[in-house]
Amino acid sequence: MKTLERTPFAWLTFCLLLPGLLTTALPLRAQDDEPEPPAQEEQPDAAVPADLPTAPAEDTSWHPERDELVKKAKTELTKQVNSKITKELVAKQLGFKLPVEAPSMQVNDVRDQARSQAIREVEEKYPYSLLKDLSQQAERMYPLHQIGDQVEL
């Protein structure tokens, strides 16, 4: 239990797992209390007698008690977690400073700045004059024909 007091994340894990354990353990316990019906051998050609007893209905009287226990456990664990785990403690363990500073730029400003920087770098690396020279070379190497020009194949 001392480890749970020292580490709030262990408490958080405990708090998150307990309701699931309660909801799975209580139905299993109720099923264990009921005696198992005796196994009957199957006979393939035998007719089913009309006076055969039906399966007993499932006992659900424990459902309200379980729901009440789960609700109490959740509220108690929530109180304990909220009292032991604070923003300052989490920030300290994650290495953040509190309070967190507001961003200096908006998302759209950052996006516009990145776009303009990318355009500037592309223009430096591939200037427009280089594109012009490449297009002129391509026109010389691969002349485009107009409608009505005679072409040899």
Side-chain angles (χ1 to χ4, degrees):
M1 199 64 171
K2 290 188 178 201
T3 57
L4 293 178
E5 291 174 2
R6 282 188 231 137
T7 59
F9 291 111
W11 261 110
L12 182 61
T13 305
F14 179 73
C15 295
L16 293 174
L17 291 178
L18 184 65
L21 291 174
L22 287 176
T23 56
T24 56
L26 287 177
L28 291 176
R29 193 166 146 224
Q31 290 174 357
D32 292 342
D33 294 342
E34 296 176 4
E36 292 185 17
Q40 297 179 357
E41 296 181 15
E42 294 184 25
Q43 298 175 356
D45 296 328
V48 178
D51 61 341
L52 183 68
T54 59
E58 184 180 341
D59 181 27
T60 60
S61 61
W62 56 271
H63 282 263
E65 184 181 352
R66 178 200 62 184
D67 295 339
E68 183 179 334
L69 288 172
V70 168
K71 187 187 294 184
K72 284 181 182 178
K74 282 183 180 179
T75 56
E76 183 63 29
L77 291 174
T78 304
K79 286 178 188 175
Q80 290 179 8
V81 166
N82 289 340
S83 66
K84 300 222 180 219
I85 298 176
T86 61
K87 286 182 183 179
E88 291 80 17
L89 184 63
V90 173
K92 182 181 176 184
Q93 287 186 352
L94 293 177
F96 294 127
K97 294 180 184 177
L98 278 182
V100 178
E101 297 177 9
S104 60
M105 297 175 66
Q106 296 294 325
V107 174
N108 291 335
D109 297 337
V110 172
R111 190 178 300 129
D112 293 340
Q113 183 181 5
R115 183 177 290 129
S116 64
Q117 181 180 355
I119 290 172
R120 186 174 53 251
E121 288 177 8
V122 168
E123 287 176 351
E124 287 174 4
K125 191 170 182 179
Y126 306 105
Y128 186 71
S129 60
L130 180 64
L131 176 65
K132 211 175 193 183
D133 292 341
L134 287 175
S135 63
Q136 288 175 358
Q137 288 176 3
E139 285 178 7
R140 281 192 299 255
M141 291 174 64
Y142 309 104
L144 298 177
H145 299 286
Q146 300 294 327
I147 296 177
D149 290 346
Q150 292 204 355
V151 182
E152 291 183 18
L153 296 177

